[in-house]
């Protein structure tokens, strides 16, 4: 959903990048940034890369006021 909105609004596809991984192997925490073009829109943290990317996407949508109903889709 975020990808569709970014492509529609800016012509850019969001890019996710893991910028940090910390903690012991059995309890890793990842930090992922979501970027649109050259602009970092948000960061998210989670116990997996996927969870961190989803948190970053939700934060980016919240920043631009478009996260209502995100989890309902």
């Amino acid at each position: 959903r975020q990808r569709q909105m970014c492509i529609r609004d800016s012509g850019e596809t969001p890019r996710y990048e893991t910028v940090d991984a910390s903690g012991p192997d059995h309890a890793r925490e990842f930090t992922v940034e979501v970027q649109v073009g050259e602009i970092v829109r948000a960061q998210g943290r989670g116990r997996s890369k996927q969870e961190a990317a989803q948190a970053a996407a939700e934060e980016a949508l919240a920043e631009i006021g478009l996260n209502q109903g995100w989890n309902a889709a």
Side-chain angles (χ1 to χ4, degrees), residues 4-42:
Q4 292 169 344
M5 288 187 297
C6 288
I7 292 169
R8 180 191 72 217
D9 294 344
S10 69
E12 300 271 352
T13 301
R15 186 179 67 215
Y16 296 87
E17 181 178 351
T18 303
V19 294
D20 189 40
S22 59
D25 288 343
H26 67 279
R28 289 299 246 186
E29 183 171 77
F30 297 91
T31 302
V32 172
E33 286 182 347
V34 60
Q35 300 176 6
V36 178
E38 297 299 316
I39 300 169
V40 175
R41 293 291 181 183

mmCIF file of all heavy atoms in Angstrom, residues 4-42:
data_model
loop_
_atom_site.group_PDB
_atom_site.id
_atom_site.type_symbol
_atom_site.label_atom_id
_atom_site.label_comp_id
_atom_site.label_asym_id
_atom_site.label_seq_id
_atom_site.Cartn_x
_atom_site.Cartn_y
_atom_site.Cartn_z
ATOM 1 N N GLN A 4 2.404 1.746 -3.400
ATOM 2 C CA GLN A 4 1.472 2.279 -4.385
ATOM 3 C C GLN A 4 1.301 3.784 -4.225
ATOM 4 O O GLN A 4 1.278 4.524 -5.205
ATOM 5 C CB GLN A 4 0.114 1.585 -4.256
ATOM 6 C CG GLN A 4 0.135 0.134 -4.650
ATOM 7 C CD GLN A 4 -1.137 -0.585 -4.265
ATOM 8 O OE1 GLN A 4 -1.922 -0.097 -3.461
ATOM 9 N NE2 GLN A 4 -1.347 -1.753 -4.844
ATOM 10 N N MET A 5 1.173 4.251 -2.991
ATOM 11 C CA MET A 5 0.989 5.678 -2.754
ATOM 12 C C MET A 5 2.233 6.471 -3.139
ATOM 13 O O MET A 5 2.125 7.554 -3.711
ATOM 14 C CB MET A 5 0.619 5.942 -1.292
ATOM 15 C CG MET A 5 -0.785 5.489 -0.981
ATOM 16 S SD MET A 5 -1.358 5.932 0.648
ATOM 17 C CE MET A 5 -0.236 5.053 1.689
ATOM 18 N N CYS A 6 3.402 5.945 -2.832
ATOM 19 C CA CYS A 6 4.645 6.641 -3.173
ATOM 20 C C CYS A 6 4.826 6.743 -4.675
ATOM 21 O O CYS A 6 5.212 7.786 -5.194
ATOM 22 C CB CYS A 6 5.846 5.955 -2.551
ATOM 23 S SG CYS A 6 5.958 6.179 -0.784
ATOM 24 N N ILE A 7 4.553 5.657 -5.375
ATOM 25 C CA ILE A 7 4.691 5.670 -6.825
ATOM 26 C C ILE A 7 3.706 6.667 -7.419
ATOM 27 O O ILE A 7 4.052 7.470 -8.272
ATOM 28 C CB ILE A 7 4.489 4.255 -7.416
ATOM 29 C CG1 ILE A 7 5.652 3.358 -6.999
ATOM 30 C CG2 ILE A 7 4.353 4.308 -8.933
ATOM 31 C CD1 ILE A 7 5.440 1.898 -7.304
ATOM 32 N N ARG A 8 2.481 6.643 -6.935
ATOM 33 C CA ARG A 8 1.459 7.550 -7.444
ATOM 34 C C ARG A 8 1.820 9.012 -7.154
ATOM 35 O O ARG A 8 1.722 9.869 -8.020
ATOM 36 C CB ARG A 8 0.110 7.218 -6.808
ATOM 37 C CG ARG A 8 -1.026 8.127 -7.292
ATOM 38 C CD ARG A 8 -2.281 7.954 -6.472
ATOM 39 N NE ARG A 8 -2.039 8.553 -5.161
ATOM 40 C CZ ARG A 8 -2.500 8.075 -4.004
ATOM 41 N NH1 ARG A 8 -3.219 6.994 -3.995
ATOM 42 N NH2 ARG A 8 -2.248 8.677 -2.876
ATOM 43 N N ASP A 9 2.242 9.302 -5.925
ATOM 44 C CA ASP A 9 2.458 10.682 -5.509
ATOM 45 C C ASP A 9 3.798 11.263 -5.946
ATOM 46 O O ASP A 9 3.893 12.452 -6.192
ATOM 47 C CB ASP A 9 2.328 10.800 -3.991
ATOM 48 C CG ASP A 9 0.909 10.516 -3.511
ATOM 49 O OD1 ASP A 9 -0.021 10.526 -4.349
ATOM 50 O OD2 ASP A 9 0.740 10.273 -2.314
ATOM 51 N N SER A 10 4.828 10.445 -6.019
ATOM 52 C CA SER A 10 6.151 11.002 -6.324
ATOM 53 C C SER A 10 6.840 10.334 -7.503
ATOM 54 O O SER A 10 7.880 10.799 -7.943
ATOM 55 C CB SER A 10 7.059 10.883 -5.097
ATOM 56 O OG SER A 10 7.375 9.519 -4.866
ATOM 57 N N GLY A 11 6.287 9.235 -7.973
ATOM 58 C CA GLY A 11 6.945 8.507 -9.050
ATOM 59 C C GLY A 11 8.115 7.670 -8.562
ATOM 60 O O GLY A 11 8.818 7.066 -9.350
ATOM 61 N N GLU A 12 8.337 7.624 -7.249
ATOM 62 C CA GLU A 12 9.458 6.884 -6.659
ATOM 63 C C GLU A 12 8.942 5.653 -5.911
ATOM 64 O O GLU A 12 7.894 5.692 -5.279
ATOM 65 C CB GLU A 12 10.206 7.770 -5.665
ATOM 66 C CG GLU A 12 10.781 9.026 -6.257
ATOM 67 C CD GLU A 12 12.179 8.826 -6.799
ATOM 68 O OE1 GLU A 12 12.763 7.760 -6.580
ATOM 69 O OE2 GLU A 12 12.676 9.758 -7.431
ATOM 70 N N THR A 13 9.709 4.592 -5.942
ATOM 71 C CA THR A 13 9.415 3.397 -5.165
ATOM 72 C C THR A 13 10.142 3.494 -3.831
ATOM 73 O O THR A 13 11.323 3.839 -3.801
ATOM 74 C CB THR A 13 9.895 2.142 -5.915
ATOM 75 O OG1 THR A 13 9.235 2.089 -7.174
ATOM 76 C CG2 THR A 13 9.597 0.883 -5.138
ATOM 77 N N PRO A 14 9.441 3.219 -2.717
ATOM 78 C CA PRO A 14 10.141 3.266 -1.428
ATOM 79 C C PRO A 14 11.236 2.211 -1.367
ATOM 80 O O PRO A 14 11.095 1.120 -1.919
ATOM 81 C CB PRO A 14 9.049 2.986 -0.395
ATOM 82 C CG PRO A 14 7.890 2.488 -1.136
ATOM 83 C CD PRO A 14 8.053 2.843 -2.568
ATOM 84 N N ARG A 15 12.328 2.553 -0.710
ATOM 85 C CA ARG A 15 13.463 1.638 -0.558
ATOM 86 C C ARG A 15 13.695 1.430 0.929
ATOM 87 O O ARG A 15 13.728 2.378 1.706
ATOM 88 C CB ARG A 15 14.692 2.258 -1.217
ATOM 89 C CG ARG A 15 15.887 1.331 -1.237
ATOM 90 C CD ARG A 15 17.065 1.954 -1.921
ATOM 91 N NE ARG A 15 17.533 3.086 -1.117
ATOM 92 C CZ ARG A 15 18.041 4.197 -1.605
ATOM 93 N NH1 ARG A 15 18.161 4.364 -2.890
ATOM 94 N NH2 ARG A 15 18.441 5.149 -0.801
ATOM 95 N N TYR A 16 13.843 0.179 1.308
ATOM 96 C CA TYR A 16 14.058 -0.174 2.709
ATOM 97 C C TYR A 16 15.505 -0.620 2.877
ATOM 98 O O TYR A 16 16.009 -1.401 2.076
ATOM 99 C CB TYR A 16 13.116 -1.308 3.126
ATOM 100 C CG TYR A 16 11.666 -0.893 3.058
ATOM 101 C CD1 TYR A 16 10.945 -1.019 1.880
ATOM 102 C CD2 TYR A 16 11.038 -0.346 4.164
ATOM 103 C CE1 TYR A 16 9.620 -0.620 1.809
ATOM 104 C CE2 TYR A 16 9.710 0.052 4.097
ATOM 105 C CZ TYR A 16 9.011 -0.087 2.916
ATOM 106 O OH TYR A 16 7.704 0.316 2.857
ATOM 107 N N GLU A 17 16.149 -0.113 3.923
ATOM 108 C CA GLU A 17 17.544 -0.465 4.170
ATOM 109 C C GLU A 17 17.732 -0.769 5.653
ATOM 110 O O GLU A 17 17.331 0.020 6.513
ATOM 111 C CB GLU A 17 18.450 0.692 3.770
ATOM 112 C CG GLU A 17 19.918 0.387 3.967
ATOM 113 C CD GLU A 17 20.811 1.538 3.514
ATOM 114 O OE1 GLU A 17 20.328 2.495 2.897
ATOM 115 O OE2 GLU A 17 22.014 1.454 3.792
ATOM 116 N N THR A 18 18.340 -1.918 5.924
ATOM 117 C CA THR A 18 18.682 -2.260 7.304
ATOM 118 C C THR A 18 19.902 -1.442 7.686
ATOM 119 O O THR A 18 20.953 -1.558 7.057
ATOM 120 C CB THR A 18 18.972 -3.767 7.449
ATOM 121 O OG1 THR A 18 17.824 -4.492 6.996
ATOM 122 C CG2 THR A 18 19.280 -4.132 8.894
ATOM 123 N N VAL A 19 19.753 -0.590 8.709
ATOM 124 C CA VAL A 19 20.848 0.296 9.090
ATOM 125 C C VAL A 19 21.515 -0.125 10.393
ATOM 126 O O VAL A 19 22.595 0.371 10.719
ATOM 127 C CB VAL A 19 20.382 1.772 9.189
ATOM 128 C CG1 VAL A 19 19.983 2.287 7.814
ATOM 129 C CG2 VAL A 19 19.250 1.943 10.181
ATOM 130 N N ASP A 20 20.896 -1.063 11.131
ATOM 131 C CA ASP A 20 21.513 -1.523 12.369
ATOM 132 C C ASP A 20 20.932 -2.873 12.762
ATOM 133 O O ASP A 20 19.765 -3.159 12.479
ATOM 134 C CB ASP A 20 21.279 -0.518 13.498
ATOM 135 C CG ASP A 20 22.080 -0.843 14.756
ATOM 136 O OD1 ASP A 20 23.257 -1.246 14.618
ATOM 137 O OD2 ASP A 20 21.536 -0.702 15.860
ATOM 138 N N ALA A 21 21.744 -3.680 13.363
ATOM 139 C CA ALA A 21 21.325 -4.939 13.972
ATOM 140 C C ALA A 21 22.118 -5.056 15.270
ATOM 141 O O ALA A 21 23.350 -4.955 15.249
ATOM 142 C CB ALA A 21 21.614 -6.113 13.055
ATOM 143 N N SER A 22 21.402 -5.211 16.361
ATOM 144 C CA SER A 22 22.093 -5.252 17.640
ATOM 145 C C SER A 22 21.509 -6.349 18.512
ATOM 146 O O SER A 22 20.443 -6.894 18.238
ATOM 147 C CB SER A 22 21.970 -3.896 18.352
ATOM 148 O OG SER A 22 20.611 -3.576 18.566
ATOM 149 N N GLY A 23 22.237 -6.651 19.560
ATOM 150 C CA GLY A 23 21.803 -7.679 20.501
ATOM 151 C C GLY A 23 22.381 -9.036 20.169
ATOM 152 O O GLY A 23 22.944 -9.249 19.095
ATOM 153 N N PRO A 24 22.221 -9.968 21.098
ATOM 154 C CA PRO A 24 22.730 -11.328 20.873
ATOM 155 C C PRO A 24 21.922 -12.043 19.794
ATOM 156 O O PRO A 24 20.793 -11.650 19.484
ATOM 157 C CB PRO A 24 22.556 -12.003 22.239
ATOM 158 C CG PRO A 24 21.481 -11.219 22.916
ATOM 159 C CD PRO A 24 21.590 -9.822 22.408
ATOM 160 N N ASP A 25 22.496 -13.082 19.215
ATOM 161 C CA ASP A 25 21.856 -13.805 18.123
ATOM 162 C C ASP A 25 20.438 -14.257 18.444
ATOM 163 O O ASP A 25 19.570 -14.241 17.580
ATOM 164 C CB ASP A 25 22.686 -15.023 17.708
ATOM 165 C CG ASP A 25 23.953 -14.638 16.970
ATOM 166 O OD1 ASP A 25 24.039 -13.482 16.506
ATOM 167 O OD2 ASP A 25 24.856 -15.487 16.874
ATOM 168 N N HIS A 26 20.188 -14.648 19.673
ATOM 169 C CA HIS A 26 18.865 -15.157 20.031
ATOM 170 C C HIS A 26 17.846 -14.045 20.307
ATOM 171 O O HIS A 26 16.666 -14.319 20.472
ATOM 172 C CB HIS A 26 18.957 -16.082 21.253
ATOM 173 C CG HIS A 26 19.346 -15.375 22.507
ATOM 174 N ND1 HIS A 26 20.660 -15.071 22.802
ATOM 175 C CD2 HIS A 26 18.601 -14.886 23.519
ATOM 176 C CE1 HIS A 26 20.699 -14.433 23.963
ATOM 177 N NE2 HIS A 26 19.467 -14.306 24.413
ATOM 178 N N ALA A 27 18.296 -12.794 20.326
ATOM 179 C CA ALA A 27 17.391 -11.671 20.615
ATOM 180 C C ALA A 27 17.799 -10.442 19.802
ATOM 181 O O ALA A 27 17.922 -9.342 20.332
ATOM 182 C CB ALA A 27 17.391 -11.372 22.103
ATOM 183 N N ARG A 28 18.006 -10.622 18.496
ATOM 184 C CA ARG A 28 18.415 -9.516 17.631
ATOM 185 C C ARG A 28 17.314 -8.475 17.546
ATOM 186 O O ARG A 28 16.131 -8.790 17.582
ATOM 187 C CB ARG A 28 18.691 -10.004 16.210
ATOM 188 C CG ARG A 28 19.931 -10.834 16.056
ATOM 189 C CD ARG A 28 21.125 -10.095 16.437
ATOM 190 N NE ARG A 28 22.019 -9.830 15.329
ATOM 191 C CZ ARG A 28 23.195 -9.269 15.506
ATOM 192 N NH1 ARG A 28 23.580 -8.913 16.697
ATOM 193 N NH2 ARG A 28 23.967 -9.059 14.494
ATOM 194 N N GLU A 29 17.731 -7.233 17.387
ATOM 195 C CA GLU A 29 16.809 -6.147 17.088
ATOM 196 C C GLU A 29 17.354 -5.407 15.872
ATOM 197 O O GLU A 29 18.529 -5.044 15.842
ATOM 198 C CB GLU A 29 16.661 -5.187 18.261
ATOM 199 C CG GLU A 29 15.636 -4.100 17.966
ATOM 200 C CD GLU A 29 15.310 -3.258 19.169
ATOM 201 O OE1 GLU A 29 16.129 -2.395 19.510
ATOM 202 O OE2 GLU A 29 14.245 -3.486 19.755
ATOM 203 N N PHE A 30 16.497 -5.228 14.874
ATOM 204 C CA PHE A 30 16.895 -4.605 13.621
ATOM 205 C C PHE A 30 16.291 -3.212 13.525
ATOM 206 O O PHE A 30 15.188 -2.967 14.004
ATOM 207 C CB PHE A 30 16.415 -5.444 12.437
ATOM 208 C CG PHE A 30 17.030 -6.810 12.391
ATOM 209 C CD1 PHE A 30 16.420 -7.889 13.003
ATOM 210 C CD2 PHE A 30 18.238 -7.017 11.742
ATOM 211 C CE1 PHE A 30 16.991 -9.149 12.974
ATOM 212 C CE2 PHE A 30 18.825 -8.272 11.705
ATOM 213 C CZ PHE A 30 18.194 -9.338 12.324
ATOM 214 N N THR A 31 17.031 -2.323 12.893
ATOM 215 C CA THR A 31 16.533 -0.985 12.578
ATOM 216 C C THR A 31 16.559 -0.844 11.068
ATOM 217 O O THR A 31 17.589 -1.095 10.432
ATOM 218 C CB THR A 31 17.408 0.111 13.220
ATOM 219 O OG1 THR A 31 17.425 -0.083 14.631
ATOM 220 C CG2 THR A 31 16.863 1.501 12.911
ATOM 221 N N VAL A 32 15.425 -0.471 10.506
ATOM 222 C CA VAL A 32 15.273 -0.328 9.061
ATOM 223 C C VAL A 32 14.799 1.087 8.758
ATOM 224 O O VAL A 32 13.927 1.611 9.448
ATOM 225 C CB VAL A 32 14.258 -1.362 8.516
ATOM 226 C CG1 VAL A 32 13.927 -1.104 7.057
ATOM 227 C CG2 VAL A 32 14.791 -2.776 8.683
ATOM 228 N N GLU A 33 15.394 1.706 7.735
ATOM 229 C CA GLU A 33 14.957 3.009 7.245
ATOM 230 C C GLU A 33 14.145 2.813 5.976
ATOM 231 O O GLU A 33 14.446 1.933 5.178
ATOM 232 C CB GLU A 33 16.150 3.887 6.856
ATOM 233 C CG GLU A 33 16.923 4.451 7.977
ATOM 234 C CD GLU A 33 18.054 5.348 7.507
ATOM 235 O OE1 GLU A 33 18.413 5.355 6.312
ATOM 236 O OE2 GLU A 33 18.587 6.033 8.385
ATOM 237 N N VAL A 34 13.144 3.644 5.809
ATOM 238 C CA VAL A 34 12.410 3.681 4.542
ATOM 239 C C VAL A 34 12.720 5.029 3.905
ATOM 240 O O VAL A 34 12.651 6.073 4.549
ATOM 241 C CB VAL A 34 10.892 3.445 4.714
ATOM 242 C CG1 VAL A 34 10.240 4.475 5.605
ATOM 243 C CG2 VAL A 34 10.201 3.408 3.357
ATOM 244 N N GLN A 35 13.127 4.953 2.634
ATOM 245 C CA GLN A 35 13.496 6.158 1.882
ATOM 246 C C GLN A 35 12.635 6.246 0.632
ATOM 247 O O GLN A 35 12.316 5.233 0.020
ATOM 248 C CB GLN A 35 14.957 6.100 1.444
ATOM 249 C CG GLN A 35 15.927 5.992 2.571
ATOM 250 C CD GLN A 35 17.358 5.843 2.075
ATOM 251 O OE1 GLN A 35 17.635 5.924 0.893
ATOM 252 N NE2 GLN A 35 18.272 5.606 2.989
ATOM 253 N N VAL A 36 12.285 7.474 0.281
ATOM 254 C CA VAL A 36 11.618 7.729 -0.990
ATOM 255 C C VAL A 36 12.510 8.728 -1.705
ATOM 256 O O VAL A 36 12.714 9.839 -1.225
ATOM 257 C CB VAL A 36 10.196 8.283 -0.800
ATOM 258 C CG1 VAL A 36 9.557 8.572 -2.150
ATOM 259 C CG2 VAL A 36 9.340 7.299 -0.011
ATOM 260 N N GLY A 37 13.082 8.309 -2.808
ATOM 261 C CA GLY A 37 14.096 9.124 -3.462
ATOM 262 C C GLY A 37 15.300 9.204 -2.540
ATOM 263 O O GLY A 37 15.776 8.197 -2.037
ATOM 264 N N GLU A 38 15.752 10.401 -2.272
ATOM 265 C CA GLU A 38 16.905 10.595 -1.386
ATOM 266 C C GLU A 38 16.488 10.953 0.032
ATOM 267 O O GLU A 38 17.325 11.212 0.882
ATOM 268 C CB GLU A 38 17.807 11.694 -1.959
ATOM 269 C CG GLU A 38 18.410 11.353 -3.304
ATOM 270 C CD GLU A 38 19.296 10.112 -3.241
ATOM 271 O OE1 GLU A 38 20.099 9.987 -2.296
ATOM 272 O OE2 GLU A 38 19.167 9.261 -4.136
ATOM 273 N N ILE A 39 15.183 10.985 0.299
ATOM 274 C CA ILE A 39 14.677 11.425 1.594
ATOM 275 C C ILE A 39 14.362 10.232 2.482
ATOM 276 O O ILE A 39 13.596 9.344 2.105
ATOM 277 C CB ILE A 39 13.413 12.278 1.418
ATOM 278 C CG1 ILE A 39 13.720 13.500 0.570
ATOM 279 C CG2 ILE A 39 12.840 12.692 2.768
ATOM 280 C CD1 ILE A 39 12.494 14.264 0.127
ATOM 281 N N VAL A 40 14.956 10.207 3.672
ATOM 282 C CA VAL A 40 14.616 9.186 4.671
ATOM 283 C C VAL A 40 13.309 9.610 5.299
ATOM 284 O O VAL A 40 13.204 10.684 5.898
ATOM 285 C CB VAL A 40 15.720 9.054 5.752
ATOM 286 C CG1 VAL A 40 15.278 8.088 6.843
ATOM 287 C CG2 VAL A 40 17.020 8.598 5.126
ATOM 288 N N ARG A 41 12.281 8.791 5.156
ATOM 289 C CA ARG A 41 10.956 9.122 5.669
ATOM 290 C C ARG A 41 10.764 8.682 7.114
ATOM 291 O O ARG A 41 10.073 9.345 7.864
ATOM 292 C CB ARG A 41 9.876 8.485 4.805
ATOM 293 C CG ARG A 41 9.805 9.049 3.427
ATOM 294 C CD ARG A 41 9.296 10.455 3.491
ATOM 295 N NE ARG A 41 9.204 11.005 2.147
ATOM 296 C CZ ARG A 41 8.852 12.228 1.894
ATOM 297 N NH1 ARG A 41 8.563 13.046 2.884
ATOM 298 N NH2 ARG A 41 8.806 12.672 0.666
ATOM 299 N N ALA A 42 11.351 7.538 7.493
ATOM 300 C CA ALA A 42 11.148 7.033 8.856
ATOM 301 C C ALA A 42 12.080 5.869 9.123
ATOM 302 O O ALA A 42 12.672 5.296 8.208
ATOM 303 C CB ALA A 42 9.705 6.585 9.047
#
